[in-house]
Amino acid sequence: METYAAGILFKSAGKVFLVKRGDDGSWAVPGGKLEEGETPEAAARREVLEECGVDYAEPLTPHALIDGYVTYIAEGGEQFEAVLNNENQASGWFSPEELPEPLHPGMVAMLEAEPLNEMDVAGLISGSQLTSPQFFRNMYLWALRITGTGVTWRSKFRQYAYRSPENYLTDEFLSRCAGLPVIWRHPEKNVLNSEEFAARTIGAIAFAWIQGDEVWGMARIYDTDAAASLSTRQLSTSPTVTGGDDVVINVDGEPLLLEGNPVLLDHLAICEQGVWDKLGDPAGVKSDTLNEVQKMDEEKFVELFNKCMDARMAKADAEDKEAKEKADAEEQEKKEKADAEEKEAEEAKAKKDSEEKDAKEKADAEEDEKAKADAEMAKIRADMEELKNRVPQDISDEERNEIADTQCKADSVFASFGERAPQPMAGERAMPYRRRIMTRLQKYSADFKEVDLHSIADSQLLTFAEKKIYADAQASAASSLEPGAGLREIVRTDATGRRISNFIGDPSSCWAPFQAVSRKLSGINQ
């Protein structure tokens, strides 16, 4: 069942915050239905702001999911006084042992249900009942792609790679993913050691599942800086897997790495672009909040905020003057103490900020230099790829003679059809040229019509096929003459440039007009 509504259960000082609904008079947590394109968490925050005038920005932990209604819990904050809109009649903070009556049926079901634990929430994310990511007390639960299968392009090595689904889309491989370290970018030597693990690890994979032709995992992310980066831009993932029997083959002139059984699954790195994005947009990190549609416009937000502030100011003005003076005196004393502490804290913070700024500027400069070098190398590779097909291939004199001999032989066959043999292309080697000529003529050979000539690597076998195809083509040209059509002259040029004429057809039909008519004596007149 998909999530359709959300609310927040506020807890503070042993009490919970409830509102009395305007429709049926029952008590429940503030909340409401999701708007189009809205995540459950965003809907819960919006509903609390609209109904109670409270703009709650602290992290929320999923507490219960019952019949499509997800309840988040907010603990540890101060109790607030709500500014209600017309959706609710009243509100208040209540002890769990003395809750008001009547409670909404959904509220009763939520109180009776066992609170969700981190694996419950992870399972709801993997089943698409909750969005990714979800904050849970001290961690973020994030859906990450561990690996894809099939064919992809490894730009680092300028080669294609194939990862067999039979080696990865299995229960055995899924079990190996549990506990897999999730790190920030690949280490320099591509596998972790103690130092790299301590410096780069931001979380670990709790469990994995198969999604289409890919393996996805549920990650526990503990690094808040990494979580902030993952939440503000679309990143991807890249696994480091070592195979035991990798093989490189050639497919139509391109190298293809056939990866064997994965011997080592070392880590899963967060990166800008993953190999298994297959040259598409980054997609290894599932971040549903990046494309969230904000439904509340600025004017509405300002209106709600001002209404909340006006109510609080009105209540403050009505306070007793004597109590205010006493509070002012206490506040002055606290302020003087706080000012001293604040000054000391500001000095420490200024020093820390300066150090952090220097470190950040240095890191940014190094990152810029690296990005510049990477961009320059990418352009070099693109330029090399563009020039790749323009570079002429060096061939030996012996191979040039073989090409010339092939063209001469082919000319005599093509002349039977009144054509010339195709010219060799620049840089074309002898064997590809012979195959190209034979491919044009093999349709006339019953024995070789369906044969894939590119699969014949042996020179002697190719020569045998060549002779047979040439002979069958010439025979086909001769048989294509109509009966009585006479002779057809075929002119070819040999290797020395001499013109040689051959004739095909029926000689008798050609000379018939010049032969005397046969006569027979039938009798003698006396």
Side-chain angles (χ1 to χ4, degrees), residues 379-396:
K379 185 177 185 305
I380 291 173
R381 286 173 175 159
D383 292 344
M384 290 178 63
E385 184 66 22
E386 182 180 355
L387 293 172
K388 178 180 177 182
N389 295 326
R390 302 182 190 174
V391 178
Q393 301 292 324
D394 293 331
I395 58 177
S396 64

Side-chain angles (χ1 to χ4, degrees), residues 49 91 134 141 180 208 242 244 266 289 373 406 429 455 500 510:
L49 178 60
S91 66
Q134 290 289 327
L141 296 170
L180 180 68
T242 301
D266 190 71
T289 56
T406 298
R429 309 298 290 267
S455 65
I500 301 174
C510 181

Side-chain angles (χ1 to χ4, degrees), residues 404 408 411 420 491-501:
C408 184
D411 262 335
R420 294 295 302 274
V491 180
R492 65 181 179 86
T493 304
D494 66 7
T496 64
R498 295 180 301 170
R499 292 171 59 84
I500 301 174
S501 295

Side-chain angles (χ1 to χ4, degrees), residues 19-22 26 30 51-52 84-91:
V19 295
K20 186 175 183 180
R21 295 159 56 101
S26 64
E51 294 183 11
C52 304
L84 303 178
N85 65 0
N86 56 6
E87 294 184 50
N88 298 299
Q89 304 174 30
S91 66

Side-chain angles (χ1 to χ4, degrees), residues 338-358:
D339 287 345
E341 294 176 349
E342 183 179 356
K343 183 178 180 181
E344 182 179 350
E346 285 178 353
E347 292 175 353
K349 183 177 183 300
K351 181 179 179 181
K352 181 180 178 182
D353 289 345
S354 177
E355 293 174 349
E356 290 179 349
K357 181 180 179 182
D358 292 342

Side-chain angles (χ1 to χ4, degrees), residues 309-471:
M309 292 302 297
D310 289 344
R312 287 190 170 94
M313 290 297 295
K315 182 178 180 180
D317 291 342
E319 292 289 336
D320 184 81
K321 182 179 179 181
E322 183 179 353
K324 184 177 183 301
E325 290 176 352
K326 180 179 179 181
D328 289 344
E330 294 175 351
E331 185 66 25
Q332 181 64 28
E333 183 180 353
K334 291 180 182 179
K335 185 177 181 301
E336 292 174 354
K337 181 179 179 181
D339 287 345
E341 294 176 349
E342 183 179 356
K343 183 178 180 181
E344 182 179 350
E346 285 178 353
E347 292 175 353
K349 183 177 183 300
K351 181 179 179 181
K352 181 180 178 182
D353 289 345
S354 177
E355 293 174 349
E356 290 179 349
K357 181 180 179 182
D358 292 342
K360 185 177 184 303
E361 289 177 350
K362 181 179 179 182
D364 289 344
E366 293 175 350
E367 187 69 23
D368 290 343
E369 286 296 324
K370 182 177 182 301
K372 182 178 179 182
D374 290 344
E376 184 175 358
M377 181 55 66
K379 185 177 185 305
I380 291 173
R381 286 173 175 159
D383 292 344
M384 290 178 63
E385 184 66 22
E386 182 180 355
L387 293 172
K388 178 180 177 182
N389 295 326
R390 302 182 190 174
V391 178
Q393 301 292 324
D394 293 331
I395 58 177
S396 64
D397 291 338
E398 180 181 357
E399 198 161 10
R400 286 193 183 90
N401 293 335
E402 183 180 352
I403 291 173
D405 184 54
T406 298
Q407 186 179 9
C408 184
K409 290 178 182 178
D411 262 335
S412 65
V413 179
F414 277 89
S416 302
F417 299 95
E419 302 176 8
R420 294 295 302 274
Q423 296 288 328
M425 295 184 293
E428 188 172 25
R429 309 298 290 267
M431 289 288 278
Y433 179 58
R434 290 173 64 189
R435 288 193 181 94
R436 187 160 63 87
I437 295 294
M438 293 162 65
T439 302
R440 293 278 299 272
L441 298 173
Q442 70 178 128
K443 63 184 177 181
Y444 300 110
S445 176
D447 294 335
F448 288 92
K449 182 185 297 185
E450 305 297 333
V451 174
D452 181 8
L453 298 176
H454 291 85
S455 65
I456 302 177
D458 183 74
S459 178
Q460 292 182 350
L461 184 57
L462 189 67
T463 300
F464 170 77
E466 183 179 51
K467 290 179 179 179
K468 178 63 176 170
I469 290 173
Y470 281 14

